[in-house]
Amino acid sequence: MQFLLAFIVVVPLLGAVAALLPAPPGLKGKNPDQAVLRHGVTVTGVILVATIVLAAGFDHDHPSKMQATTDISWIPALDVRIHLGIDGISLPLLVLTALLTFLCALHSYFKLPAGPSPKAFVALILVLESGTLATFAVLDLLLFFLAFEMVLIPMYFLIARWGGAQKQAAAWKFILYTLLGSVVMLLGLLLIGLKSGTFDMVALATDNGRGLTSSVQVTAVLAIGIGLAVKTPMWPLHSWLPDAHTAAPTVGSVLLAGVLLKMGTYGFVRILLPVAPDGMHTFAPYLAAFAVVGIIYGSLACLALARPGAKGDLKRLIAYSSVGHMGFVLLGIASMTPTGVNGALFANIAHGLITGLLFFLAGAVKDRYGTADLDTLSGATGAALYGSAPRLGGLLAFTAVASLGLPGLAGFWGEMLALFGAFDPADGLSRPAFLTFMSVAAFGTLLTAAYMLILVRRVCMGAKREEPHRIPDIQNHEFAAWTPLAALTVLAGLWPAVLLGLTDPAVQKLLAGGKS
């Protein structure tokens, strides 16, 4: 298990280096480009299998215990260690990352976005995977920061070199926002490490803030929280996200929404809640307030984009919906209760599955029609996907309904538990304030239903149009890439105990200061 976790984190980096090397003659296939794309599918497939084996070998009877741990001294002078481990909080995120990256590699093998060398594309995807997996596996504050930053450069180049219109501006906005947030976050991480005498996240969580004064905790939560909030993204630090999603290639949008946004919320749960509880108590009402503003703002922006004549972009609408959905995650965290935090972690996974599939579908629609503009797609009678590509239209409607939180699908449980957490927040937090936040967030679910149903009506319904060329329905490689996400959306909705059974004991221990 120790070896397997280290293998999962390191092998994508080695695969990225191998992707840049010339392919051996016997493995080139029809051409070198095909060989390197097949290499990407192979490496990400191996990582997915290794992650599934790790999950199967995980001690499900003790999900609060750190497992598959590696602890090696790296920089003795600062007591920085190569410390890896997983528990019930990080394991689902590890599996989600491996799954989405493999599906993106598979999709790219058949539909590579226009851009420079496929070698560079595959190498960037693998570096991105390694950095994301490391973020969820490391247990040292400085290693967390390095892994957190490792994903920025590959995502920048994926947007800037393989993106669509306005890709350079979107890529620069993405990198500037996230780097500036990261500088502030590094100062907060250093403050905690130097004041407590250790950067070890397990030791800090067990100490539960007892070695840090209230003023240090408040300062650390403010600094680290800003960096994490940018990546989440929390309103009003979200404005890089719609531009990045609109410009990014399909697989870039899937990884950005499905995986990278989770790094910010994971940092709140793994670092700030257990390490600086007094600081979190101070800022929890403000975090909840920003969260519910984000829920309403994201929903209203989606409604504005969905209305006829607004020239709304399908990918941009899905990006703004992420601002609202991640608002529920932040609201659950801000409640500082096991119910709310479990809801936040469940919503994280559900958002990765559902929004990842939505971006796959948006990319497919754009490929078929040559545009993602909703007015152009809907035209006089609607794009009428039900008539021209019924399986594609049906899957888009299914995913939209999952996104709005229909009971029985994955989107329901996380948002519901986050609302329950806000209904009865942790001791010391103002219940009237959180009841207000809960009411506003509940109204946001109605707005979400409104814009998603408008989207389905405009894109899927209407009289069947006579197309100059027949619009292809779901193809085999798309079916292979999308089916796991749809199946897991149903499974998580019907059997939430699969996830909650993992996260709940770990969350209980985290909030209790390391005591099971």
Side-chain angles (χ1 to χ4, degrees), residues 93-376:
L93 291 165
L94 215 66
V95 176
L96 177 69
T97 300
L99 174 64
L100 284 177
T101 312
F102 170 70
L103 297 181
C104 286
L106 184 65
H107 182 273
S108 301
Y109 181 79
F110 294 96
K111 186 70 180 176
L112 182 69
S117 161
K119 283 189 172 188
F121 179 83
V122 170
L124 290 170
I125 291 288
L126 292 174
V127 172
L128 188 70
E129 179 179 32
S130 181
T132 312
L133 290 169
T135 302
F136 299 135
V138 298
L139 297 172
D140 183 276
L141 291 180
L142 291 187
L143 278 185
F144 175 85
F145 176 78
L146 293 175
F148 198 85
E149 297 306 290
M150 185 175 163
V151 304
L152 301 185
I153 299 304
M155 183 53 71
Y156 167 82
F157 281 111
L158 284 173
I159 297 170
R161 304 302 297 275
W162 284 270
Q166 306 295 320
K167 58 186 180 183
Q168 292 290 344
W172 273 110
K173 197 170 185 180
F174 163 76
I175 200 75
L176 287 175
Y177 263 77
T178 48
L179 278 178
L180 287 172
S182 297
V183 169
V184 182
M185 184 175 77
L186 177 60
L187 296 176
L189 294 174
L190 289 173
L191 176 64
I192 286 178
L194 295 175
K195 288 292 185 181
S196 62
T198 181
F199 290 96
D200 186 273
M201 289 156 67
V202 176
L204 288 166
T206 304
D207 188 61
N208 202 219
R210 286 183 286 270
L212 300 171
T213 64
S214 292
S215 60
V216 168
Q217 290 190 38
V218 168
T219 306
V221 169
L222 179 61
I224 298 170
I226 288 173
L228 298 174
V230 170
K231 187 68 73 71
T232 297
M234 181 185 77
W235 182 91
L237 304 173
H238 69 283
S239 59
W240 60 271
L241 182 73
D243 293 339
H245 271 310
T246 305
T250 297
V251 295
S253 292
V254 171
L255 292 174
L256 184 57
V259 177
L260 266 66
L261 302 190
K262 313 300 174 283
M263 294 163 63
T265 51
Y266 174 77
F268 275 105
V269 175
R270 176 64 74 198
I271 299 173
L272 293 186
L273 277 177
V275 174
D278 292 346
M280 276 298 292
H281 261 94
T282 301
F283 283 106
Y286 304 101
L287 180 63
F290 283 126
V292 297
V293 170
I295 292 169
I296 300 300
Y297 172 84
S299 300
L300 292 177
C302 289
L303 281 171
L305 290 169
R307 76 178 192 276
K311 288 293 179 184
D313 184 278
L314 178 57
K315 290 183 72 177
R316 196 173 189 86
L317 185 148
I318 299 170
Y320 271 111
S321 78
S322 291
V323 176
H325 289 306
M326 298 311 287
F328 281 99
V329 177
L330 290 173
L331 178 62
I333 293 169
S335 74
M336 299 186 68
T337 62
T339 302
V341 176
N342 276 303
L345 294 170
F346 196 102
N348 254 349
I349 302 298
H351 179 265
L353 296 172
I354 296 168
T355 307
L357 183 52
L358 271 176
F359 275 115
F360 270 134
L361 293 167
V365 170
K366 187 174 183 179
D367 288 340
R368 285 158 171 76
Y369 286 92
T371 180
D373 180 79
L374 287 172
D375 288 336
T376 306

